[in-house]
Amino acid sequence: MATSDGNNNINNAVNSVVNNGGNNDGNNKGQFRTYLERNLRYLTQLVAHAEPIPSPEIRSQALHTLSYALGAPESWHFTRDLLLQLAPKMEQAGHRYDWLPYLQHATAFSQQLGDWASTAEFTLQQGILHRLLSEFDLAQSSLHHSIALCQQQQIDRNQARALNELAWVEYLQSQTASASDHVQQALALLPADDPERAMCYRVQGMIAIAHERWSEAETLHRQALALFEGEGDQRKMAWSLQNLAYALRGQQRFEETIGYYEQAAELLQQMGDLYHWSVVQMNLGISFNQFGKPEIALNHYTTASSIPYNIMDAFHQARLSLNIAVSLLALAHFPNAESKFQEAIQLYSQIGSKAWRLNAMDGLAMTYIGWQKFDQAIQILQQALVELPAVLDAPNYPYLFRSLHQHWEEAHKKLHGNSHRPCEPPRD
Amino acid sequence: MVLRGAQLCYTEHMHTHPPNYAEPQSARLLEVLLSWDKRAPIDERFYSLRYFQGILAEKSGDAPLAARELLQRAIALLRQDKAEYADVLLAYLLSDEKVELAANRLNMGQATFHRKRKDALPKLAEKLEQLERICLADHRQRMTQRLPVQTYLARLGEQTEIASLCQLLRARTAPWLVAITGIGGIGKTTLADVIARQMIDDANWAAIGWLTAPQSILNAGGALATDARPTLTDSALIDGLASQLLDETSPNGRRTSAESLALLESLLKRQPHLIVIDNLESEADLKALLPTLRRLANPSKFLITSRSSFFAAPDLYHWVAPQLDVPNALALLRLEAQVRNIPEVLAASDVELLPIYDTVGGNPLALKLVSGQLRIYSLPTILEDLHKARTSHIEELYAHIYSRAWNLLGGRAQSVLLAMPLVSEQGGTIELLQAMCQLPDIDLNKSLELLISLNLVEVRGGLQRRNYTIHSLTRTFLHEQVIRWQQVTEITT
């Protein structure tokens, strides 16, 4: 048992060591801060030169360093530089929920320090992450905040970037009118030769696709591709190749479609951008399904599903489920198609995508019709038709209206026989 | 009903087999094949194959279907060498076709059919063995990758204590939650690692998992984060387990934590797993996780390492990591001396070294730290110094040992050590250290050598690339030294 004298001896011994080593006591904290700043500068260089993405070791070290740095206001400009280099690459490497707290912390810290330009950038990055997590409301909220700050600080280019990102989120939610407006605002802020205009064309191209204006979409995506090629931005080139393929698919130019998708997939794989590579695989599947090859389509969907679960967001999963269901339906695998359509319906509900949910319900009805379960088809279609008016503004509303009504009539005729006149479909 | 039956079968057959997946002998498998009867229950020797267990899981516990699949795969492998053997075996083992019809179909007489069958069965047994070897090797690699990098040279200590802990874990009864507790540096993580590595081939476990709780965070002011939040949250636990255990079985789809938890529960209830959760520092850490661990446990087991005990949890079995006994403590000192080339220690007798044990006890880290100091100071000097501290609590002793080590370093080595908290737990390169310390190469290298020799810095990595990091206890000491200096400064000003 330690005696009081024994304890005093220990404390004296320890303190004497500390105090003797403590000629530099006052400098130790300063020295540690110097090390922190050098560490930050070194990592910033490493991250800047790491192509396409920093190694897992560098990323792990960066997060460790940031856990210290985000409590050191005096070192803020070094911390900020690392964060700005790191943010897009962490997203590209597939970091989501593990990276988000650092961005949130960085936002709060920069706000505290009154660094509004940095706050605007970090909220933009948060918006991108929320979008990739299918958290669209949070994405919009972050992006609006970023836009407001950029406007306040008169940082036109960054405001345009945030507007483009917001437009993209709106496009994903079928809010194409709003998306168009925001893209126009972004274009107005950008000089004629600014490469960021490519992102505007990208959104406009996808809006055109949503409205099946294929030729216009092709022109816009080629413009975007040319600008990205000029900048040497391989990742965005890959996105454009993919979008261009989509526009060509709508024009039934199938060989070109497959060629561009495959180019995009190769680039994205080289970039380590597994998420967007998975999207390309899905699109390849859709193309093969359209070409009448559902078995090959299913292979591509399986490949698309093979990415780590933490970068597979609900929106992408919903699309995959839907497309798998469509291929299964084409193969008359009704039980599996039913299951996948139901999964898609549930996922679209989860992310609040009403129009696509109705599309999935239509698919489920088609499955029941093929399966000769006409009463179940009618039940689903009934529900869908009641909900249809809620998506009046969606670009695919005309298609949904036509298709749901057509299947409603078909199901009734098959249930009751051709001579039977089906009752009017339900209206809101 | 089928699944339930299969689960019972799985459990029952676990008891009849030796505790490890011994290398399968094709002779044993040949016996199974020779006595093969399509209508009979599946031979229990199949259940000892990990490869078969995997197929059984794929077939939702349908043992006859799984056995069929196993044989088909082995026959497909055999076909690459001898197609005619494959055809004969398919007919003999998996078809209801009568022998005379099969032989006729294969354009051979019955005698030839039987002769080929007799020749083919040993070959098939070899293929089954091959498949099992590949499966075991793959399983070992995957499980080993989940474990942290092995940093200890050897885990000395009573093998009986490891054996008794292993027996406790293997038992198909409670306790389902076992905590290895003890002070820092006693070897809790090493013990858990040794056990986990032993269990990799153990037929009791479908798989092994390992999660390490992050250490408390330091801010640049030098203050240790003192909030009471657990360092390993519930959602981090679930996400960590899901990424290890679920990705392999259900790769599709982003899941919420609740969905992951449900899937984990289903998996861990269906197949026993051994999960290690390392480095839970505090009672708050344990308390936060216990509800989830209870939900996931049984028949799976959790092995937790922690500096704290939590006796308020009646279902948590506490296993206190013992100190090394005298022979093993002296063996560790000599092992360290051998690695670090301290011939004087190697040459010292037990009687000469015993006072070290009398003072610091059998704590491996303390022994390693002291052995490092023996490079610099004579044994009597160290003993005299330790003698003053020998009545103190072990953690005060650590402070003393570290302070002593700090004093040995000199300015440059001290400055290098001061930078080390900024290196991640996985380790940093020499280039990172150079970027921070900005010392001439020769000075940095010398400082690093000294720090390594004093066991203040650990070396990780392989031949092509070395990383450097510090033990968590060293990190804690440095954090507190920074605080202490800061506090001293504040007091004097």
Side-chain angles (χ1 to χ4, degrees):
Chain A
M1 187 167 70
T3 62
S4 164
D5 281 347
N7 280 343
N8 282 340
N9 284 341
I10 300 302
N11 289 337
N12 287 342
V14 172
N15 283 336
S16 121
V17 169
V18 165
N19 287 332
N20 284 341
N23 284 337
N24 293 321
D25 279 0
N27 291 337
N28 282 322
K29 190 175 165 185
Q31 191 172 20
F32 188 76
R33 193 174 311 287
T34 302
Y35 289 155
L36 174 62
E37 290 174 2
R38 289 175 183 168
N39 187 309
L40 286 163
R41 280 209 304 266
Y42 176 74
L43 281 173
T44 304
Q45 287 302 308
L46 274 188
V47 169
H49 291 111
E51 290 295 338
I53 49 175
S55 67
E57 292 77 20
I58 293 175
R59 285 181 259 145
S60 171
Q61 179 60 57
L63 294 182
H64 180 83
T65 302
L66 284 171
S67 69
Y68 286 80
L70 286 168
E74 298 88 343
S75 309
W76 171 241
H77 56 290
F78 298 110
T79 308
R80 181 195 57 210
D81 288 348
L82 176 60
L83 283 163
L84 292 175
Q85 281 294 336
L86 196 58
K89 296 193 178 183
M90 291 297 274
E91 174 267 299
Q92 187 174 332
H95 291 269
R96 301 286 186 258
Y97 282 116
D98 56 333
W99 173 233
L100 192 57
Y102 288 87
L103 279 179
Q104 288 166 335
H105 213 112
T107 304
F109 206 42
S110 61
Q111 266 176 326
Q112 250 180 303
L113 298 170
D115 183 351
W116 302 112
S118 296
T119 307
E121 180 62 25
F122 297 137
T123 46
L124 165 60
Q125 293 294 334
Q126 278 187 63
I128 293 171
L129 273 192
H130 283 304
R131 187 250 302 164
L132 288 165
L133 290 165
S134 301
E135 293 167 349
F136 295 130
D137 290 344
L138 285 171
Q140 289 214 17
S141 166
S142 294
L143 293 166
H144 277 294
H145 187 199
S146 181
I147 290 164
L149 282 171
C150 289
Q151 204 165 21
Q152 199 183 82
Q153 301 294 308
Q154 295 178 319
I155 316 169
D156 286 353
R157 190 170 195 276
N158 285 357
Q159 189 181 343
R161 287 174 57 225
L163 282 163
N164 277 332
E165 186 57 40
L166 178 61
W168 186 253
V169 173
E170 288 167 335
Y171 151 72
L172 291 174
Q173 294 184 282
S174 304
Q175 297 164 7
T176 51
S178 205
S180 274
D181 280 341
H182 286 126
V183 168
Q184 288 301 329
Q185 288 177 40
L187 282 167
L189 289 167
L190 294 166
D193 58 352
D194 194 316
E196 180 64 21
R197 293 176 82 87
M199 295 295 272
C200 302
Y201 302 144
R202 173 185 174 232
V203 181
Q204 287 180 322
M206 295 314 292
I207 293 171
I209 284 175
H211 291 282
E212 298 187 5
R213 300 194 304 257
W214 305 112
S215 182
E216 179 189 336
E218 180 188 349
T219 305
L220 286 161
H221 286 308
R222 285 198 190 277
Q223 274 180 282
L225 178 61
L227 281 172
F228 291 137
E229 278 172 342
E231 284 296 292
D233 191 330
Q234 304 252 300
R235 192 183 186 208
K236 289 181 180 154
M237 276 165 57
W239 295 351
S240 276
L241 285 166
Q242 179 180 206
N243 297 334
L244 181 55
Y246 195 170
L248 294 170
R249 192 175 83 212
Q251 297 171 77
Q252 315 281 305
R253 287 152 68 177
F254 296 132
E255 279 184 24
E256 288 173 271
T257 299
I258 299 297
Y260 280 122
Y261 275 137
E262 286 176 347
Q263 269 185 62
E266 199 181 314
L267 268 178
L268 289 166
Q269 199 162 33
Q270 284 168 15
M271 296 282 109
D273 188 347
L274 290 182
Y275 175 77
H276 292 100
W277 172 85
S278 170
V279 173
V280 175
Q281 292 299 328
M282 182 187 71
N283 286 325
L284 272 165
I286 295 170
S287 304
F288 278 108
N289 197 63
Q290 224 174 307
F291 305 164
K293 296 181 182 177
E295 299 95 341
I296 300 179
L298 281 172
N299 286 341
H300 280 285
Y301 297 142
T302 304
T303 304
S305 303
S306 67
I307 58 172
Y309 86 98
N310 61 307
I311 58 172
M312 172 72 84
D313 65 303
F315 187 66
H316 187 39
Q317 182 59 53
R319 289 187 297 188
L320 262 175
S321 298
L322 179 63
N323 287 311
I324 291 170
V326 168
S327 288
L328 289 168
L329 177 58
L331 290 166
H333 294 168
F334 299 122
N336 289 341
E338 178 195 26
S339 166
K340 278 297 176 188
F341 276 121
Q342 283 171 335
E343 190 177 284
I345 290 165
Q346 193 265 320
L347 283 164
Y348 279 122
S349 291
Q350 199 178 306
I351 58 178
S353 186
K354 291 179 183 161
W356 285 102
R357 179 169 174 271
L358 290 177
N359 186 53
M361 290 169 79
D362 190 32
L364 182 58
M366 289 166 69
T367 304
Y368 286 138
I369 291 172
W371 207 351
Q372 313 219 345
K373 295 187 175 183
F374 305 116
D375 46 355
Q376 282 178 262
I378 289 167
Q379 199 177 359
I380 277 289
L381 287 163
Q382 200 154 330
Q383 192 185 340
L385 285 164
V386 165
E387 293 177 25
L388 184 59
V391 301
L392 200 57
D393 292 332
N396 59 345
Y397 176 84
Y399 165 79
L400 283 171
F401 184 92
R402 214 170 41 242
S403 187
L404 287 167
H405 278 87
Q406 182 187 315
H407 293 134
W408 168 268
E409 286 199 21
E410 184 184 351
H412 266 281
K413 273 188 191 156
K414 287 184 174 173
L415 181 65
H416 299 295
N418 282 336
S419 59
H420 179 83
R421 185 185 167 77
C423 53
E424 285 295 308
R427 292 185 202 287
D428 191 17
Chain B
M1 282 300 286
V2 170
L3 183 61
R4 190 175 169 80
Q7 279 180 323
L8 286 171
C9 281
Y10 183 93
T11 310
E12 281 169 20
H13 282 97
M14 282 299 102
H15 289 305
T16 63
H17 290 293
N20 288 316
Y21 279 122
E23 288 293 321
Q25 294 175 0
S26 51
R28 289 195 303 130
L29 293 167
L30 180 56
E31 281 175 26
V32 175
L33 294 172
L34 285 168
S35 59
W36 184 258
D37 180 346
K38 287 185 274 282
R39 285 165 293 274
I42 304 305
D43 192 295
E44 62 177 36
R45 279 168 287 188
F46 264 15
Y47 286 90
S48 72
L49 300 175
R50 189 174 278 280
Y51 191 60
F52 178 69
Q53 291 290 349
I55 299 174
L56 192 60
E58 282 171 34
K59 302 297 178 191
S60 305
D62 186 338
L65 193 60
R68 193 177 175 79
E69 177 67 26
L70 174 65
L71 290 174
Q72 277 173 338
R73 291 184 192 181
I75 291 170
L77 199 60
L78 181 61
R79 186 177 290 284
Q80 292 169 15
D81 303 335
K82 274 278 198 184
E84 56 177 1
Y85 281 1
D87 290 332
V88 165
L89 290 176
L90 273 175
Y92 175 70
L93 294 172
L94 297 177
S95 159
D96 290 325
E97 205 178 15
K98 288 195 168 141
V99 169
E100 53 266 33
L101 290 174
N104 193 42
R105 176 172 57 78
L106 294 171
N107 292 322
M108 56 182 81
Q110 285 188 54
T112 307
F113 183 94
H114 284 298
R115 181 172 50 76
K116 284 188 191 287
R117 174 186 60 83
K118 194 177 156 205
D119 292 340
L121 282 176
K123 300 290 180 202
L124 185 65
E126 284 170 17
K127 292 303 177 190
L128 283 169
E129 186 180 359
Q130 186 184 342
L131 286 170
E132 179 66 1
R133 271 196 221 282
I134 293 168
C135 178
L136 282 176
D138 174 68
H139 177 78
R140 271 186 212 117
Q141 190 191 26
R142 282 186 298 110
M143 295 303 109
T144 307
Q145 277 172 356
R146 290 178 185 173
L147 306 185
V149 173
Q150 197 171 339
T151 57
Y152 51 92
L153 297 167
R155 206 281 169 184
L156 300 172
E158 291 290 341
Q159 290 307 305
T160 50
E161 83 220 357
I162 296 176
S164 74
L165 190 49
C166 286
Q167 193 176 11
L168 186 75
L169 290 167
R170 283 196 187 102
R172 282 281 150 262
T173 54
W176 309 108
L177 308 176
V178 177
I180 301 176
T181 60
I183 59 163
I186 200 71
K188 301 184 291 295
T189 299
T190 300
L191 193 54
D193 187 83
V194 165
I195 289 169
R197 285 175 198 275
Q198 280 191 10
M199 299 288 192
I200 283 175
D201 283 339
D202 194 317
N204 281 302
W205 312 109
I208 310 291
W210 184 293
L211 292 180
T212 301
Q215 208 184 1
S216 311
I217 300 299
L218 173 75
N219 69 38
L224 201 58
T226 54
D227 64 52
R229 283 176 294 172
T231 57
L232 180 66
T233 61
D234 209 43
S235 58
L237 168 74
I238 294 165
D239 283 349
L241 288 178
S243 72
Q244 283 190 12
L245 304 179
L246 291 181
D247 270 354
E248 294 178 21
T249 55
S250 44
N252 297 341
R254 170 183 169 270
R255 293 178 286 261
T256 62
S257 274
E259 287 162 350
S260 293
L261 180 57
L263 286 169
L264 281 169
E265 187 177 7
S266 167
L267 177 67
L268 267 59
K269 293 288 186 192
R270 197 169 66 242
Q271 295 177 304
H273 287 61
L274 177 65
I275 311 292
V276 178
I277 301 177
D278 182 45
N279 197 31
L280 288 185
E281 288 184 342
S282 69
E283 202 174 295
D285 288 334
L286 275 171
K287 197 173 170 183
L289 299 182
L290 273 176
T292 302
L293 297 181
R294 284 176 179 134
R295 185 170 161 181
L296 296 174
N298 184 0
S300 293
K301 292 204 175 185
F302 287 87
L303 180 62
I304 299 157
T305 73
S306 175
R307 289 194 208 176
S308 304
S309 300
F310 188 45
F311 295 113
D315 55 341
L316 179 62
Y317 184 95
H318 288 80
W319 196 92
V320 180
Q323 295 192 101
L324 297 178
D325 59 12
V326 171
N328 283 304
L330 299 187
L332 178 59
L333 281 170
R334 292 195 173 99
L335 182 60
E336 287 289 313
Q338 190 177 1
V339 168
R340 295 175 203 295
N341 191 20
I342 315 174
E344 300 81 3
V345 174
L346 283 171
S349 67
D350 285 1
V351 169
E352 288 173 291
L353 295 179
L354 204 52
I356 298 174
Y357 181 86
D358 287 343
T359 309
V360 303
N363 186 299
L365 181 61
L367 288 165
K368 284 168 73 169
L369 291 169
V370 168
S371 79
Q373 292 179 24
L374 285 168
R375 283 179 65 87
I376 316 292
Y377 292 106
S378 69
L379 186 53
T381 304
I382 291 179
L383 288 178
E384 186 188 329
D385 200 44
L386 287 174
H387 190 75
K388 296 176 194 166
R390 72 178 167 183
T391 55
S392 68
H393 189 274
I394 188 65
E395 285 178 343
E396 287 168 348
L397 183 62
Y398 269 127
H400 182 87
I401 295 171
Y402 272 116
S403 302
R404 182 98 184 134
W406 178 262
N407 216 26
L408 288 174
L409 292 178
R412 287 202 178 97
Q414 279 183 353
S415 69
V416 173
L417 189 60
L418 192 61
M420 291 306 295
L422 290 168
V423 175
S424 74
E425 282 159 19
Q426 287 75 35
T429 60
I430 193 92
E431 289 81 14
L432 174 63
L433 296 179
Q434 185 52 270
M436 286 195 286
C437 301
Q438 294 189 1
L439 290 172
D441 284 349
I442 189 165
D443 290 339
L444 176 62
N445 290 339
K446 274 190 182 164
S447 301
L448 212 47
E449 280 169 26
L450 179 56
L451 290 169
I452 292 166
S453 73
L454 291 172
N455 284 305
L456 292 170
V457 168
E458 297 180 359
V459 186
R460 303 267 168 92
L463 198 59
Q464 300 304 323
R465 186 189 162 98
R466 296 287 190 195
N467 285 342
Y468 306 94
T469 188
I470 49 179
H471 190 278
S472 59
L473 214 57
T474 311
R475 195 181 295 273
T476 304
F477 166 75
L478 286 168
H479 291 175
E480 289 177 359
Q481 278 291 340
V482 173
I483 293 172
R484 188 188 296 274
W485 286 321
Q486 186 181 12
Q487 286 168 346
V488 167
T489 303
E490 284 169 1
I491 290 166
T492 56
T493 55

